[in-house]
């Protein structure tokens, strides 16, 4: 996209390129420098350092490194805690990603009507984007409280026993998933709404003329045409679900019995509560490899099902 | 290198001498130089020996450290009156009202003199404060003073980055005569006082007075057995859905060991030598765990998780349960909360598993002096710390927070005398503290990475006991194995 478009070449491209290459190269290096420096400082260096740290064991204060080879990496793969955290994180992803995508899409389709006052609904539906994790977590803490929460008050009115959502190994992860889905609703809503705006009206018109009902139109036109947007949402939600931290820290601290010990929280716990930086670094590297593989598989699998344009 | 000081200056008494404990302690606290020659060894059985059972472990009495102006330590902390202007950051973990009270105190100190300025900086929870400090150790800006929880004691000693308070005590020839001895001994390890005790608390029983009366419970229960009887009455009469709420608090378990005068860890509770294992797989541990499980299984208690979100206190305030156990530092907030719901809360001492042979442990926090400070800063810090723990300041601190005043004469000041008349609940924790006998068991465990031992070994064991129904003996065994592994791992990494 860099070359001038629509201009006839003034000389043989090869000759010109050969003559100006050093200057171009200098210029491009200069232009690239800021991002190269920023990426090196904040991405490449910390990343390299994390891998390096994984080979050393520190004293409980992060000093006096001792080389221990790959034992911390091997230990990570075989540790019950790490594998159980991975498993919890997978379950958490399954609970949050499809639910979040479907709910966001449904809300977007509902709000994609030209009705009076729709702007108000759009504002409400997208408002969770502007809510911080801390606020969302504290809100759910109040809503789910066994003694004073609205949910349990309703259960009591209906004659049931209160549910200890955050204190039960069965419910805690579901409660965390609920906070997360609620929190993600805004971004999914905005992204899918934007996608809906760009869908061509003529397709719907001809489908209507062919006698397709709203459900048929949704599954045969909206979903396929929206698939790039949905893939984007899918990937972003998966990544954020693997990065979930705030909710866990505020609501459950990984408990009870590690049932909500999501992977990033587990790494934090190893690094800053056990003060074991080497082991935490090894865990982070293993997590990186797993995520890289997962993303690769995701894109490969999605390639065939995503429709990028007519 | 400040790690372990061979300081064979204090008499260490065995259980044999327990009868004369108080008189002996009083005598030797005069700084009698003859006690200096006493041997450090031979007073305790080797606590790490595998054949050692808790019942046979001699209970060693801890003593208030005595100032020794001629010690080598004294040079570390010149305590002459400050002569040059210094500013010290004080990192603390006191949120909201507690933080406001602390800030009021430092402001008052700053305006009381011209040379020393104390700058309080709130750093989040105790864990967060410790995290930030440990991170600062590797090349950041360290505070002059930092408030750490009692679980951080061994870690902070091992960090090798603090000036032991003993140095200042020695150089100032300071006397702890007016302090409640136990608050000082709790932070004394191997005869060295490490931080200055400051915000001291212990757990107490909170009860809904109206509900207990309605259920026909006339006296506040003081033992686990009495709690069970009271809970039965509450549930049978339908007064509340549960008699008591239980939380997965390791602190409460440690407290019950202190009340029974049984050490929680070996090495004289980690106070004579480094602790390597927990001593909870015994009759007392089994009694506590069995009691908890039976209470929940029989529908007399509700398990409400960690208590971090104060679910147990909320349940009490709204009448979902008639009793709970929580820190005395929550007293002011609980009273306000309960009043909102029109509930009258009454408080009593922490319930014990059997007879109260020992005493409630000294919980809470203390102020540590960083060793990156200059001589002038150390002198300033010492001036501030002695001012802060003076009776007037302790009276203010107690009345505004519920933390225990650590000076005996503070309770004669009008501020406290009047408070205890109008709100006698505030006296309970103080009484419970001063009533306790002074032994290594009641001074509380000092264990490497104590907070991990709690959160990764004890809390999961309680959760397995109460959520999954694991039998008490296996839960204790799992807790012990995991705790010992954590301690061993920590100790091994110290040697790196």
């Amino acid at each position: 996209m860099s070359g001038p478009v629509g201009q006839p070449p003034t000389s043989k491209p090869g000759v010109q390129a050969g003559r100006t290459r050093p200057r171009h190269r200098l210029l491009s290096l200069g232009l690239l420098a800021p991002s190269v420096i920023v990426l090196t400082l904040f991405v490449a260096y910390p990343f390299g350092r994390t891998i390096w740290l994984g080979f050393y064991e520190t004293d409980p204060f992060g000093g006096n490194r001792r080389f221990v080879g790959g034992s911390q990496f091997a230990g990570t793969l075989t540790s019950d805690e790490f594998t159980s955290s991975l498993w919890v994180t997978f379950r958490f992803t399954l609970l949050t990603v499809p639910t979040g995508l479907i709910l966001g899409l449904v809300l977007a389709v509902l709000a994609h009507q030209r009705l009076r006052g729709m702007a108000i609904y759009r504002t409400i539906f997208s408002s969770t984007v502007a809510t911080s994790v801390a606020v969302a977590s504290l809100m759910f803490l109040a809503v789910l409280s066994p003694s004073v929460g609205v949910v349990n008050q309703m259960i009591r009115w209906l004659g049931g026993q209160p549910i200890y959502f955050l204190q039960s190994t069965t419910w805690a992860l579901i409660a965390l998933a609920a906070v997360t889905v609620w929190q993600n609703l805004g971004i999914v809503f905005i992204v899918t709404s934007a996608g809906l705006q760009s869908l061509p009206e003529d397709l719907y018109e001809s489908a209507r003329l062919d006698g397709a009902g709203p459900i048929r139109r949704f599954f045969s036109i909206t979903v396929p045409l929206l698939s790039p947007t949905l893939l984007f949402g899918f990937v972003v939600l998966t990544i954020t679900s693997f990065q979930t931290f705030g909710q866990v820290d505020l609501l459950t601290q990984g408990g009870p019995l590690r049932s909500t010990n999501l992977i990033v929280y587990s790494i934090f716990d190893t690094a800053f509560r056990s003060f074991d930086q080497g082991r935490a670094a090894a865990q982070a590297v293993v997590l990186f490899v797993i995520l890289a593989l997962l993303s690769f598989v995701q894109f490969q699998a999605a390639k065939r099902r995503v429709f990028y344009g007519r | 290198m400040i790690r372990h000081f061979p300081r064979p200056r204090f008499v260490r008494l065995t259980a044999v001498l327990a009868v004369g404990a108080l008189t002996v302690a009083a005598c030797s606290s005069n700084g009698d130089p003859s006690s200096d020659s006493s041997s450090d060894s031979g007073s305790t059985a080797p606590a790490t020996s595998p054949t050692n059972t808790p019942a046979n472990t001699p209970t060693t009495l801890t003593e208030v450290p005595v100032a020794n102006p001629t010690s080598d330590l004294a040079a570390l902390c010149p305590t002459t009156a400050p002569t040059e202007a210094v500013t010290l950051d004080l990192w603390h973990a006191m949120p909201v009202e507690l933080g406001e009270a602390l800030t009021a105190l430092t402001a008052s100190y700053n305006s009381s003199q011209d040379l020393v300025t104390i700058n309080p900086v709130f750093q989040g929870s105790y864990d967060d404060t410790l995290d930030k400090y440990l991170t600062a150790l590797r090349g950041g800006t360290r505070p002059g003073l930092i408030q750490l929880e009692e679980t951080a004691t061994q870690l902070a000693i091992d960090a090798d980055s603090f000036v032991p308070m003993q140095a200042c005590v020695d150089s100032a020839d300071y006397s702890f005569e007016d302090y409640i001895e136990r608050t000082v001994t709790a932070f004394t390890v191997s005869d060295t006082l490490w931080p200055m005790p400051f915000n001291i608390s212990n757990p107490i029983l909170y009860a809904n007075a109206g509900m207990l009366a309605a259920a026909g419970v006339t006296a506040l229960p003081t033992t686990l057995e009495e709690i069970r009887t009271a809970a039965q009455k509450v549930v049978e009469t339908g007064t509340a859905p549960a008699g008591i709420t239980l939380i997965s608090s390791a602190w409460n378990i440690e407290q019950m060991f202190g009340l029974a005068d049984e050490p929680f860890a070996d090495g004289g509770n980690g106070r004579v030598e480094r602790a390597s294992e927990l001593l909870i797989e015994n009759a007392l541990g089994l009694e506590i765990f069995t009691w908890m499980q039976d209470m929940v299984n029989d529908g007399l208690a509700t398990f409400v998780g960690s208590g971090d979100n104060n679910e147990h206190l909320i349940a009490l305030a709204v009448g979902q349960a008639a009793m709970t156990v929580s820190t005395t530092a929550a007293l002011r907030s609980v009273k306000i909360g309960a009043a909102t719901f029109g509930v009258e809360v009454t408080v009593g001492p922490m319930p014990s598993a059997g007879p109260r042979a020992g005493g409630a442990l000294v919980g809470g926090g203390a102020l540590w002096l960083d060793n990156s400070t200059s001589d002038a800063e150390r002198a300033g810090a010492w001036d501030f710390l002695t001012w802060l723990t003076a009776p007037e300041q302790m009276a203010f601190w107690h009345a505004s927070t519920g933390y225990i005043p650590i000076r005996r004469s503070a309770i004669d000041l009008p501020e406290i005398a009047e408070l205890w008349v109008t709100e006698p609940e505030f006296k309970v924790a103080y009484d419970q503290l001063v009533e306790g006998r002074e032994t290594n068991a009641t001074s509380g465990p000092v264990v490497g990475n104590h907070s991990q031992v709690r959160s990764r070994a004890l809390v999961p064991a309680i959760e397995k006991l109460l959520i999954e129904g694991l039998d008490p003996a296996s839960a204790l065994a799992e807790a012990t194995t995991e705790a010992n592994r954590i301690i061993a791992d920590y100790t091994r990494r110290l040697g790196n």
Side-chain angles (χ1 to χ4, degrees):
Chain A
M1 305 299 276
S2 53
V5 180
Q7 276 176 26
T10 48
S11 60
K12 279 190 250 172
V15 174
Q16 191 189 31
R19 205 172 51 219
T20 59
R21 196 180 285 149
R23 242 180 61 207
H24 269 201
R25 198 177 274 165
L26 213 66
L27 179 66
S28 49
L29 278 181
L31 291 174
L32 278 173
S35 44
V36 168
I37 291 170
V38 167
L39 282 177
T40 314
L41 268 180
F42 295 105
V43 178
Y45 170 72
F47 185 69
R49 174 126 182 129
T50 305
I51 296 177
W52 180 80
L53 277 174
F55 288 100
Y56 290 84
E57 188 187 68
T58 65
D59 70 14
F61 314 101
N64 296 332
R65 292 197 180 81
R66 188 167 64 87
F67 184 75
V68 289
S71 68
Q72 295 188 125
F73 294 98
T76 297
L77 288 170
T78 53
S79 110
D80 283 349
E81 193 176 338
F82 188 80
T83 43
S84 99
S85 283
L86 264 187
W87 174 233
V88 169
T89 310
F90 274 116
R91 279 172 46 216
F92 181 74
T93 308
L94 282 179
L95 281 171
T96 53
V97 177
T99 338
L101 267 186
I102 293 169
L103 276 179
L105 177 61
V106 168
L107 285 183
V109 170
L110 287 178
H112 186 62
Q113 324 239 355
R114 290 196 185 82
L115 291 177
R116 266 165 54 118
M118 197 48 88
I120 297 172
Y121 283 97
R122 285 190 191 140
T123 311
I124 294 174
F125 293 156
S126 49
S127 65
T128 68
V129 165
T131 319
S132 75
V133 177
V135 172
S137 301
L138 291 181
M139 227 170 61
F140 272 77
L141 188 66
V143 168
L144 297 176
S145 159
S147 313
V148 291
V150 180
V151 176
N152 275 307
Q153 210 56 51
M154 290 202 289
I155 292 175
R156 276 197 200 94
W157 280 335
L158 297 171
Q161 286 292 312
I163 298 173
Y164 285 77
F165 289 102
L166 299 173
Q167 292 81 12
S168 130
T169 40
T170 346
W171 282 100
L173 192 66
I174 298 174
L176 274 191
V179 186
T180 311
V181 167
W182 185 87
Q183 172 93 50
N184 288 341
L185 214 50
I187 187 71
V188 179
F189 174 80
I190 290 174
V191 169
T192 44
S193 287
L196 285 176
Q197 305 284 351
S198 67
L199 297 191
E201 203 49 45
D202 51 342
L203 274 181
Y204 286 93
E205 236 175 79
S206 52
R208 229 173 266 131
L209 289 176
D210 290 344
I215 293 178
R216 180 68 197 266
R217 289 203 299 274
F218 176 75
F219 283 107
S220 298
I221 303 176
T222 311
V223 172
L225 286 185
L226 218 50
S227 53
T229 309
L230 292 177
L231 173 69
F232 172 76
F234 180 60
V235 172
V236 167
L237 287 194
T238 308
I239 291 171
T240 53
S241 88
F242 268 85
Q243 292 174 342
T244 304
F245 176 81
Q247 298 93 306
V248 187
D249 193 37
L250 285 161
L251 293 177
T252 62
Q253 291 85 44
L257 289 174
R258 292 190 193 150
S259 62
T260 59
N261 199 19
L262 296 183
I263 196 79
V264 174
Y265 188 81
S266 167
I267 293 175
F268 159 81
D269 195 63
T270 308
F272 296 106
R273 295 290 185 247
S274 304
F275 310 111
D276 198 343
Q277 301 207 320
R279 209 151 50 86
Q283 290 174 357
V285 172
V286 172
L287 175 66
F288 165 77
V289 173
I290 293 171
L291 279 188
L293 286 175
L294 191 75
S295 299
F296 179 75
V297 170
Q298 245 178 353
F299 275 104
Q300 289 303 316
K303 229 181 214 171
R304 278 169 238 133
R305 304 199 176 272
V306 175
F307 181 74
Y308 278 109
R310 287 182 283 175
Chain B
M1 293 298 288
I2 307 161
R3 191 148 275 174
H4 288 292
F5 297 91
R7 292 167 56 76
R9 299 191 289 105
F10 308 114
V11 191
R12 201 173 277 128
L13 303 164
T14 63
V16 189
L17 296 176
V19 183
L22 288 175
T23 34
V24 176
C27 293
S28 62
S29 69
N30 299 331
D32 176 7
S34 67
S35 64
D36 288 3
S37 57
S38 307
S39 166
D40 202 22
S41 59
S43 56
T44 46
T48 42
S49 103
T51 53
N52 182 29
T53 60
N56 298 335
T57 309
T59 313
T60 312
L61 298 179
T62 317
E63 283 180 47
V64 175
V66 181
N68 175 10
T70 58
S71 80
D72 308 341
L73 271 183
L76 284 176
C77 184
T79 51
T80 47
T83 49
E84 56 178 288
V86 290
T87 301
L88 286 134
D89 281 344
L90 163 60
W91 285 9
H92 68 89
M94 299 278 93
V96 215
E97 299 96 342
L98 305 180
E100 284 161 17
L102 178 59
T103 308
L105 282 171
T106 54
S108 162
Y109 173 74
N110 291 343
S111 56
S112 74
Q113 40 75 50
D114 299 330
L115 290 174
V116 187
T117 308
I118 302 292
N119 175 32
V121 186
F122 177 60
Q123 294 288 14
S125 68
Y126 281 122
D127 277 344
D128 293 337
T129 309
L130 182 61
D131 279 355
K132 288 177 191 173
Y133 180 78
L134 292 179
T135 309
L137 273 187
R138 298 190 297 273
T141 310
R142 285 147 66 173
L145 288 165
I146 181 171
Q147 179 192 33
L148 295 176
E149 200 185 11
E150 92 274 10
T151 51
T153 302
Q154 183 68 59
L155 193 77
I157 294 173
D158 293 334
D160 207 7
S161 65
F162 293 103
V163 178
M165 207 45 66
Q166 188 70 47
C168 309
V169 172
D170 285 352
S171 107
D173 200 4
Y174 194 68
S175 160
F176 284 108
E177 204 175 14
D178 186 47
Y179 288 68
I180 300 173
E181 292 84 356
R182 304 193 47 220
T183 63
V184 182
T185 54
F187 296 99
T188 303
V189 179
S190 301
D191 300 326
T192 303
L193 175 68
W194 280 89
M196 181 64 103
F198 169 53
N199 56 311
I200 300 304
S201 61
N202 53 39
I204 49 180
L205 178 75
Y206 290 81
N208 181 322
M211 281 188 167
L212 288 192
V217 181
T218 46
L220 268 185
T222 58
T223 62
L224 296 186
E225 214 32 62
E226 287 173 18
I227 295 247
R228 188 179 164 90
T229 317
Q232 252 161 353
K233 288 183 182 166
V234 169
V235 172
E236 277 163 17
T237 55
T239 316
I244 187 167
T245 47
L246 299 181
I247 54 175
S248 55
S249 158
W251 192 45
N252 287 352
I253 310 279
E254 291 166 15
Q255 289 285 344
M256 286 193 234
F257 272 73
L259 287 172
D261 201 19
E262 284 203 28
F264 201 74
D266 64 355
N269 238 354
R271 287 171 180 280
V272 182
E273 20 185 305
R274 186 179 284 280
S276 63
E277 49 191 59
L278 294 194
L279 302 177
I280 56 171
E281 269 193 277
N282 50 34
L284 179 62
L286 202 59
E287 184 185 345
I288 298 168
F289 269 39
T290 310
W291 177 86
M292 289 173 85
Q293 191 171 55
D294 287 351
M295 287 291 286
V296 171
N297 286 352
D298 298 344
L300 302 174
T302 313
F303 174 59
V304 294
S306 66
D308 286 351
N309 297 320
N310 292 325
E311 195 54 52
H312 55 315
L313 295 172
I314 297 172
L316 180 78
V318 301
Q320 289 294 321
M323 295 174 277
T324 197
V325 167
S326 191
T327 168
T328 149
L331 185 51
R332 181 56 77 199
S333 319
V334 170
K335 288 200 72 170
I336 295 170
T340 319
F341 290 95
V343 167
E344 194 204 327
V345 167
T346 168
V347 304
M350 167 84 188
S352 60
R356 300 171 90 82
L361 307 185
V362 176
L367 301 174
W368 294 72
L369 174 59
D370 190 86
N371 71 5
S372 67
T373 44
S374 68
D375 281 358
E377 286 170 333
R378 290 177 194 184
W382 174 250
D383 186 64
F384 167 67
L385 292 173
T386 46
W387 177 90
L388 184 67
T389 52
E392 296 73 27
Q393 279 66 253
M394 277 294 117
F396 170 83
W397 180 239
H398 171 65
S400 28
T401 61
Y403 279 114
I404 300 166
I406 63 174
R407 295 294 289 261
R408 291 184 180 281
S409 57
I411 67 170
D412 299 327
L413 295 175
E415 209 165 359
I416 292 188
E418 282 161 26
L419 177 76
W420 285 2
V421 171
T422 51
E423 294 177 283
E425 301 91 339
F426 279 87
K427 193 170 183 288
V428 171
Y430 178 87
D431 287 344
Q432 173 168 265
L433 186 71
V434 293
E435 274 163 21
R437 239 160 52 85
E438 213 176 289
T439 67
N440 278 337
T442 64
S443 293
V446 173
V447 176
N449 223 344
H450 191 167
S451 78
Q452 286 292 297
V453 168
R454 281 184 179 177
S455 65
R456 284 171 175 260
L458 294 166
V459 170
I462 299 171
E463 287 174 339
K464 283 192 181 170
L465 181 78
L466 301 184
I467 299 177
E468 296 191 333
L470 182 68
D471 68 282
S474 310
L476 281 170
E478 277 194 21
T480 309
T481 312
E482 182 61 11
N484 296 351
R485 192 196 60 74
I486 291 168
I487 299 170
D489 188 53
Y490 171 85
T491 312
R492 182 184 57 76
R493 282 167 58 212
L494 269 187
N496 268 7

